[in-house]
Amino acid sequence: MVRRGVGTIETVNALVNDNYALIRNVAKYMLNDKGLTNAEFLRASYRRFIRLRPFVSNRSMVKDTYTDYIRYKYRYEDYPKRMAMIGVQCDNQLNRSQVKNSLSFVAKACSFIDESKGTKFEVARDNTMCRQILKNLLTIHYEKTSHTNEKRTPLRHIFQYSFEHMKDINKSTNSQSYSKPASPKSSLILDLYGEFDRDILLLNNLLNMRL
């Protein structure tokens, strides 16, 4: 049954208006990995991340950024190398719990719960916080890619492969091996993105995710 409010279409499964589309029931987007091989698990989890794409935003640019981000995470990212930038050692073995927790995080970011429903208030606020974090993550990813349109640009290599922008330049152990760009603008960009990316990794480490 569809209930129509002012500019809003509301169903049992979703709430849609001109600004966003949010899911009400996230169960079908979750992943039961029982009996799946690692290869099957990776394919299944990737498909579920992509199935959430319509609910990330109503804007095509944001949805395209989300798709690009997920593809990068699955195809190219050296996650242990990223984590090493915050002093956390991990191997490259598949950690299913991290993937499922990340999927749950994105699903919560795309979910709607009416905050006026008493006992659900804290859950709704949690979903709102997830949505804000995902929005910021995609904004930063889009801005970083805007600096790396040319495949051979130094910033592309830094943001996607060397991750040197995440080194804490205030620590002597890192400052000896990392020279900041001479350009004040480039230096500021690296500092801002580096701080944000470190915060995301610290969040991952805290919540056992892999954003």
Side-chain angles (χ1 to χ4, degrees):
M1 179 178 180
V2 178
R3 293 176 290 169
R4 297 179 182 272
V6 179
T8 300
I9 299 176
E10 187 175 351
T11 71
V12 174
N13 295 317
L15 184 145
V16 182
N17 62 26
D18 292 338
N19 298 316
Y20 54 77
L22 298 174
I23 52 180
R24 286 184 175 276
N25 182 10
V26 301
K28 66 179 181 179
Y29 297 96
M30 295 298 96
L31 177 59
N32 180 0
D33 61 331
K34 185 177 181 180
L36 297 181
T37 66
N38 283 345
E40 291 170 339
F41 173 81
L42 286 173
R43 287 194 296 269
S45 60
Y46 178 82
R47 286 195 297 267
R48 278 164 174 76
F49 275 112
I50 296 302
R51 284 173 61 187
L52 288 168
R53 181 181 187 273
F55 303 102
V56 170
S57 174
N58 280 358
R59 299 174 61 191
S60 296
M61 181 184 71
V62 178
K63 288 188 283 192
D64 290 344
T65 300
Y66 172 78
T67 302
D68 181 70
Y69 181 75
I70 296 300
R71 285 175 177 168
Y72 168 74
K73 296 287 290 185
Y74 271 79
R75 297 181 182 181
Y76 305 111
E77 182 187 49
D78 186 341
Y79 192 71
K81 188 173 183 178
R82 280 188 70 198
M83 290 298 290
M85 294 300 170
I86 62 168
V88 176
Q89 301 299 318
C90 64
D91 57 39
N92 207 26
Q93 296 297 313
L94 175 62
N95 187 319
R96 296 192 182 196
S97 294
Q98 288 181 342
V99 176
K100 290 194 290 185
N101 289 344
S102 300
L103 180 61
S104 177
F105 182 93
V106 175
K108 288 171 67 175
C110 299
S111 301
F112 173 81
I113 296 178
D114 190 344
E115 293 189 13
S116 66
K117 292 183 178 179
T119 58
K120 292 185 177 181
F121 178 79
E122 291 186 3
V123 177
R125 293 300 298 168
D126 189 41
N127 287 8
T128 300
M129 185 175 296
C130 291
R131 185 155 54 250
Q132 291 170 340
I133 292 172
L134 180 62
K135 177 183 177 181
N136 290 340
L137 188 154
L138 295 178
T139 298
I140 293 296
H141 181 73
Y142 176 81
E143 291 180 353
K144 284 193 293 188
T145 56
S146 71
H147 293 289
T148 59
N149 288 332
E150 297 295 331
K151 291 186 177 181
R152 297 183 182 276
T153 59
L155 287 180
R156 179 185 178 89
H157 179 75
I158 290 173
F159 291 149
Q160 297 187 352
Y161 301 105
S162 74
F163 311 118
E164 289 182 345
H165 67 297
M166 282 189 279
K167 287 185 176 179
D168 188 348
I169 59 173
N170 294 316
K171 293 183 179 180
S172 59
T173 54
N174 285 329
S175 61
Q176 293 173 357
S177 60
Y178 176 48
S179 298
K180 294 179 67 175
S183 166
K185 182 178 180 180
S186 295
S187 178
L188 179 60
I189 288 172
L190 291 177
D191 285 349
L192 291 175
Y193 294 165
E195 182 177 354
F196 179 83
D197 286 350
R198 284 194 298 270
D199 288 343
I200 289 295
L201 292 183
L202 290 171
L203 180 68
N204 283 346
N205 198 44
L206 178 66
L207 301 181
N208 193 32
M209 299 191 301
R210 197 160 177 160
L211 295 178

